[in-house]
Amino acid sequence: MAEKVKTLSFDAARLEMLLAQMAEMAGHPETAAPLPFSGGHDELDAVAYAVNVLLGELRFANEARTRLETRRAEELQAAKESADAANAAKSAFLSYMSHELRTPVAVLVASAELMAKKKLTPSESAEMAERFLRGAHQVLGLVDTVLDLAKIEAGRIDVRAVEFAPQSLVSDTRLSFALPATAKGLALRFEMGELPNLRGDAQRIRQVLFNLVSNAIKYTPAGTITVAIRVASGAAGHTLHVSVSDTGRGIGAGDRERLFQPFERLPDADGISGTGLGLHLSSRLAAALGGGLTLLSSELGKGSRFELAVPVEVANVQRAPASEPRPAEALRGIRILLADDHADIRRLFGELLSMEGATVSTAGDGQAALNMALKDEYDIVLLDVQMPGLSGLEAVEGLRRRGYTKPVLALTANATRDHRAACLERGFSGFIAKPVDIDAFVNAIVHHAAPK
Amino acid sequence: MVRTSTATAVVRDDGIVSITIDKGVKQLLPQAQQNLAAVLSLAEGLKTKLIIDMSGALPLDPDVRHFYADAPLSTKFTAVALVVAASPLGRMMGNVYMRVARSPIPMQLFPDVESAAAWLHAKDGHG
């Protein structure tokens, strides 16, 4: 069978030219011009077209790769800058905290050294104790602030909605700030109409309110501080508005932007105590509660007005009766067993409880506490949860297994809801968070140890 | 009928959408976008077939070629017939387009509209 052979005829000179240009392309693929067409649309034109397409596709792919590499380099650079900024912020924070902590700790150490070396007169002792307490509260306040900030950063802030009376915000603020305000010659006023009981995170709301009032007192040389509380209702629900106004120094327009930033203080704040974290923490807490903290108005030399606005629910519970003031020696006749592995805690709490009229025995570990509780008669046992050997949790379990029915309270620095639940499950009757508020401590003992 | 700056698109009596690229005009990206929008708008609400008459078209730049190759034709059309110039260059242009497009729906080259339509009619789901 004859084979069919197709015969082609074309311009040899044109073929040579195309081949020469293809060689040029091989040497300079990025810049070489495309091969020209003759217009005849023949096989040479088809080859030229195919070569041009190949060159075009190579350049297209190259450009796409370059764009991708550029984008990746930019992303890496942005990530590096973000990491560098985070590291710098962390270093600045550690440096700042180190400085802020050293000052009050230095006061504590110096006071303690003085007390150890020198025989003090009663008034000197009282002054030293006052200085010691102030320094300790300062450290404690700083630690609480840092812990709260860390929880917020980790997204683990505990928001606990409880039923509370708005009146309690007024009474608590008056109790905490009436004296400092009066000492400075300032009037502390409250404006609040008839409000129903509410459901919200009363503790955090109080924390922000206290920060605002504390700042107002610090930055107001004379005049009045006014706390106004109201509830607004709308389609989205109820909002608690707590505003604090003062007749103080005011805040300049240039300082308002950085007001809620960490470590930022007003330019004329020298001589006024503070870490520069209070407003930052308060604004983060307000956001964590689903609300916000804003500077409503301010004028230099005239004063400022801040407002906290958070969503709340209206509760349907009876208003709790006002608490009775604690009588002197509220623990008279109560026998207490206190167990903690820290000797300082045993001595300090032992003395405080004795001053309240209690008879206090102490144990240094869980096993000793277990033995003493089973052998002797106590009205109430206070157990530190974290102890070496037999822990507080194991000790209370041991007591309950042996039929021990007296109240046992947990003393612990871990105040989370889960930990509370775990303590109660293991047999504790109640829970006292460290650091201890002495009034709450005594009231809890009275409540649990009182004869039923 | 939709008329763009470089093409004319119609719905034929047999329901097939057809677009004819003007002879000798250069398509850049904006013109390619117009042409694609034209055929997609004519096929709105239909599931039909497409004839692309590129027999008069000039060679495409790589960005335009890629734009056409990435076009979502399979969302509106069940098969595409390409009409190319009956020349080595015309066939090469058609083949290059088919290779770059890697179409998920059937695509074939033809020398004229009649043979293209006949092939599309023979496909399942005529019209």
Side-chain angles (χ1 to χ4, degrees):
Chain A
M1 188 187 300
E3 287 181 354
K4 265 199 176 172
V5 173
K6 186 177 177 189
T7 304
L8 300 174
S9 62
F10 48 82
D11 185 344
R14 180 153 174 264
L15 176 60
E16 257 190 66
M17 187 254 317
L18 284 175
L19 290 171
Q21 281 185 298
M22 283 185 217
E24 179 68 24
M25 269 183 178
H28 303 93
E30 290 298 324
T31 54
L35 298 178
F37 301 119
S38 69
H41 294 199
D42 57 6
E43 282 78 1
L44 285 182
D45 272 356
V47 168
Y49 176 75
V51 170
N52 289 343
V53 166
L54 185 63
L55 188 69
E57 291 298 315
L58 284 171
R59 286 176 180 168
F60 191 78
N62 203 31
E63 281 164 14
R65 191 176 57 246
T66 302
R67 279 196 299 274
L68 183 63
E69 283 169 2
T70 304
R71 194 170 70 241
R72 279 187 186 152
E74 285 168 358
E75 284 169 3
L76 275 172
Q77 181 62 24
K80 182 180 178 302
E81 283 169 6
S82 175
D84 286 345
N87 273 338
K90 206 189 306 183
S91 298
F93 182 76
L94 286 172
S95 169
Y96 188 87
M97 281 297 123
S98 169
H99 173 265
E100 288 298 314
L101 275 171
R102 278 176 192 282
T103 307
V105 168
V107 168
L108 290 172
V109 168
S111 301
E113 281 181 347
L114 206 59
M115 284 157 70
K117 285 180 180 166
K118 191 182 164 193
K119 199 170 168 61
L120 300 172
T121 63
S123 65
E124 281 174 341
S125 281
E127 190 197 325
M128 205 61 63
E130 174 65 32
R131 203 180 297 170
F132 212 92
L133 209 57
R134 202 163 45 239
H137 278 298
Q138 213 170 327
V139 172
L140 208 54
L142 202 56
V143 169
D144 282 341
T145 299
V146 168
L147 284 176
D148 275 344
L149 279 173
K151 277 187 204 171
I152 288 173
E153 289 295 331
R156 289 173 52 202
I157 193 76
D158 251 351
V159 176
R160 292 178 207 157
V162 297
E163 282 149 8
F164 69 99
Q167 177 60 34
S168 68
L169 294 175
V170 170
S171 53
D172 290 347
T173 305
R174 186 178 278 129
L175 200 65
S176 297
F177 292 102
L179 266 178
T182 306
K184 236 182 137 177
L186 302 171
L188 181 59
R189 295 212 177 107
F190 296 89
E191 293 171 1
M192 193 184 81
E194 192 66 34
L195 292 179
N197 282 356
L198 303 174
R199 186 170 180 81
D201 194 329
Q203 182 192 339
R204 297 298 184 187
I205 292 169
R206 188 178 302 112
Q207 187 175 350
V208 174
L209 172 57
F210 278 19
N211 173 246
L212 294 180
V213 173
S214 170
N215 281 350
I217 291 176
K218 279 184 204 171
Y219 288 96
T220 303
T224 306
I225 291 156
T226 306
V227 177
I229 300 175
R230 64 184 177 89
V231 174
S233 300
H238 305 285
T239 304
L240 174 68
H241 292 266
V242 180
S243 71
V244 176
S245 313
D246 63 59
T247 54
R249 304 179 180 200
I251 300 160
D255 294 322
R256 285 178 207 178
E257 272 181 28
R258 52 192 185 85
L259 200 57
F260 296 103
Q261 297 302 312
F263 315 134
E264 291 293 341
R265 305 190 68 213
L266 291 179
D268 56 349
D270 287 344
I272 297 178
S273 68
T275 60
L277 286 175
L279 273 183
H280 174 64
L281 175 59
S282 292
S283 73
R284 297 294 296 273
L285 282 174
L289 297 179
L293 177 62
T294 46
L295 172 66
L296 287 185
S297 62
S298 188
E299 199 179 329
L300 281 173
K302 295 260 177 77
S304 305
R305 185 163 172 233
F306 286 85
E307 184 180 82
L308 166 70
V310 291
V312 290
E313 291 170 11
V314 173
N316 291 318
V317 293
Q318 296 296 325
R319 188 174 288 215
S323 54
E324 298 286 337
R326 187 160 57 80
E329 295 206 331
L331 303 181
R332 175 164 286 283
I334 295 179
R335 292 156 300 172
I336 298 174
L337 171 61
L338 167 68
D340 195 299
D341 57 317
H342 288 283
D344 289 340
I345 297 286
R346 291 199 300 273
R347 189 169 55 247
L348 192 60
F349 283 10
E351 283 179 19
L352 283 170
L353 295 173
S354 297
M355 281 170 58
E356 295 291 334
T359 304
V360 183
S361 301
T362 61
D365 57 68
Q367 188 61 58
L370 181 72
N371 296 341
M372 289 170 71
L374 291 172
K375 180 167 168 266
D376 297 320
E377 280 292 323
Y378 297 101
D379 297 304
I380 189 166
V381 178
L382 310 177
L383 282 183
D384 180 24
V385 171
Q386 296 275 2
M387 285 191 284
L390 197 72
S391 72
L393 287 169
E394 288 162 334
V396 72
E397 272 185 329
L399 286 172
R400 297 306 184 207
R401 264 204 309 274
R402 290 167 175 80
Y404 192 78
T405 57
K406 293 289 173 68
V408 183
L409 300 187
L411 293 172
T412 178
N414 185 342
T416 61
R417 191 179 297 178
D418 289 345
H419 185 65
R420 282 177 184 251
C423 286
L424 296 175
E425 265 175 40
R426 301 287 277 272
F428 280 107
S429 317
F431 185 97
I432 294 178
K434 289 179 189 172
V436 166
D437 173 82
I438 189 62
D439 286 342
F441 192 19
V442 171
N443 286 337
I445 293 171
V446 168
H447 171 73
H448 286 279
K452 302 281 187 277
Chain B
M1 182 184 84
V2 177
R3 174 77 201 136
T4 71
S5 56
T6 55
T8 304
V10 299
V11 180
R12 289 158 45 107
D13 292 338
D14 56 9
I16 294 174
V17 173
S18 171
I19 182 165
T20 304
I21 308 297
D22 292 347
K23 192 175 169 62
V25 296
K26 178 81 175 171
Q27 292 180 84
L28 298 176
L29 205 51
Q31 287 80 41
Q33 288 164 341
Q34 276 179 3
N35 294 340
L36 179 63
V39 296
L40 291 178
S41 72
L42 286 176
E44 190 62 43
L46 306 173
K47 193 73 172 175
T48 182
K49 302 175 184 77
L50 176 64
I51 295 173
I52 302 175
D53 187 343
M54 50 188 280
S55 57
L58 290 180
L60 301 174
D61 291 338
D63 58 337
V64 179
R65 187 165 49 245
H66 277 271
F67 173 77
Y68 276 133
D70 293 339
L73 296 178
S74 60
T75 59
K76 293 280 193 283
F77 304 104
T78 57
V80 177
L82 297 172
V83 177
V84 298
S87 66
L89 178 59
R91 286 192 292 277
M92 177 63 77
M93 286 172 62
N95 276 313
V96 164
Y97 175 76
M98 281 176 50
R99 296 298 178 272
V100 174
R102 296 186 191 176
S103 171
I105 52 176
M107 187 178 282
Q108 191 105 323
L109 299 183
F110 297 93
D112 52 68
V113 173
E114 289 70 29
S115 53
W119 177 74
L120 289 174
H121 284 312
K123 287 284 169 193
D124 293 336
H126 157 68

